[in-house]
Amino acid sequence: MKKNILISFIIVLLVCLLAACGQGEETSTTNNKKDDKKVLKMVTAAEFPPFETRNEAGEIIGFDIDLAEMISEKLGFELQIEDMKFDGIVGALQAGRADIAIAGMSATEERKKNVDFSEEYHHSSQMFISKPENEINQMDDLKGKVVGVQLGSIQEEGAEKLAEEYGFEVKKLDNVNIVVQEIMSNRVDIGYMDQEVATGYMESQGLTAFEDPTESAPGMGVAFPKGSDLVDDVNDILTELEDSGEMEKLREKWLTEYEAE
């Protein structure tokens, strides 16, 4: 009798232990699934307002950042952003340090040799920007001047071509903030940059500008490592955002409102 009771007790104990182990495994699996949410690693250069810049709290904000958040959300990924110098972005993609780059980057044929691009999500002109007293109002006024450009940008490439024709010197600087600082301190006569970016500085620094009548630069695209599986998905999302009006809302928020500040 006692032997039967002991055996029954052991069986009950084993059943309880097995049930507890099963619950523990289920909980662990659930937690792992929750913790294993895919991360979308993005690189940018946060010194290109209004596309990417830092606010007073040091947070990276801008048109491209909001766009990246929308893309990552629709992909079901968690967005992780790394800030770096613009001229290091293509190398970071080639090295596999990032899944995408959204940095106001023009989809040039030269860059397409090293990275893949999405469809263009924004297109704007290039502008020459300077102090009003410099009286640089047209291309012929550039002769003998020093033109500041962002290192690694499409404006650097464009300025080097124009320099041969119009006889000016190109000064390459780390970012557009420094270009403007050099203009304000008279170390550079004029800067060459994206129209949307130039407009913001015109408003805040009292500068004047004229549009480059010679250029036909490609639009901005999301960049990827060569052969990325994300290109088609991101293109679908960009089309969806355009068709739904969300992209236009982004333009109104960051481009129209930024220009008026």
Side-chain angles (χ1 to χ4, degrees):
M1 182 69 177
K2 290 182 178 179
K3 183 177 180 181
N4 290 337
I5 293 173
L6 180 60
I7 291 172
S8 298
F9 176 76
I10 292 172
I11 291 171
V12 171
L13 182 61
L14 287 172
V15 171
C16 291
L17 287 172
L18 288 171
C21 289
Q23 289 175 354
E25 290 175 0
E26 182 179 354
T27 302
S28 177
T29 302
T30 301
N31 287 338
N32 285 338
K33 286 180 179 178
K34 183 178 179 181
D35 294 340
D36 288 345
K37 185 175 181 181
K38 293 181 181 179
V39 173
L40 184 68
K41 294 181 180 179
M42 169 184 152
V43 287
T44 193
E47 293 178 321
F48 194 61
F51 294 96
E52 39 271 325
T53 188
R54 289 185 181 270
N55 61 16
E56 293 180 357
E59 301 165 326
I60 303 176
I61 60 170
F63 181 101
D64 285 344
I65 308 308
D66 282 2
L67 177 60
E69 292 284 0
M70 290 178 175
I71 290 172
S72 62
E73 182 178 350
K74 289 183 179 295
L75 289 173
F77 292 174
E78 178 184 343
L79 183 64
Q80 184 180 95
I81 301 176
E82 180 183 352
D83 185 15
M84 61 171 53
K85 288 187 177 181
F86 185 83
D87 61 341
I89 287 177
V90 169
L93 291 173
Q94 290 179 301
R97 286 174 51 194
D99 303 304
I100 64 171
I102 310 183
M105 182 177 286
S106 298
T108 65
E109 293 303 318
E110 186 65 28
R111 288 175 181 151
K112 287 179 180 178
K113 296 176 183 177
N114 300 305
V115 296
D116 288 337
F117 278 97
S118 69
E119 298 296 328
E120 297 176 3
Y121 64 85
H122 181 72
H123 191 284
S124 62
S125 301
Q126 313 305 315
M127 296 192 81
F128 289 94
I129 182 170
S130 65
K131 287 183 173 181
E133 56 266 32
N134 290 348
E135 297 184 348
I136 306 174
N137 304 309
Q138 57 185 352
M139 298 300 294
D140 289 340
D141 295 336
L142 295 171
K143 186 174 182 179
K145 305 298 184 183
V146 178
V147 178
V149 294
Q150 181 181 20
L151 184 66
S153 67
I154 189 173
Q155 290 82 26
E156 176 190 349
E157 180 182 336
E160 288 179 337
K161 292 178 181 177
L162 292 172
E164 298 178 7
E165 181 178 355
Y166 292 95
F168 59 81
E169 176 187 344
V170 178
K171 185 173 183 178
K172 303 171 186 180
L173 301 160
D174 280 345
N175 56 67
V176 291
N177 285 336
I178 297 177
V179 172
V180 173
Q181 290 172 17
E182 294 289 280
I183 293 171
M184 300 306 294
S185 60
N186 298 315
R187 288 189 290 268
V188 160
D189 298 303
I190 191 165
Y192 184 51
M193 62 188 68
D194 179 271
Q195 181 182 22
E196 309 290 356
V197 178
T199 304
Y201 285 115
M202 287 169 63
E203 296 287 341
S204 63
Q205 302 295 328
L207 299 173
T208 187
F210 67 93
E211 188 172 337
D212 177 6
T214 68
E215 58 84 32
S216 56
M220 299 174 185
V222 180
F224 308 82
K226 276 289 186 182
S228 172
D229 295 332
L230 292 173
V231 178
D232 289 340
D233 289 338
V234 170
N235 278 336
D236 290 342
I237 291 170
L238 292 175
T239 298
E240 180 184 339
L241 293 174
E242 198 69 62
D243 292 344
S244 68
E246 290 300 309
M247 192 72 81
E248 187 58 33
K249 289 180 181 178
L250 273 187
R251 295 187 184 105
E252 291 175 0
K253 175 183 177 180
W254 289 105
L255 306 184
T256 304
E257 292 184 8
Y258 181 83
E259 291 173 6
E261 290 179 358

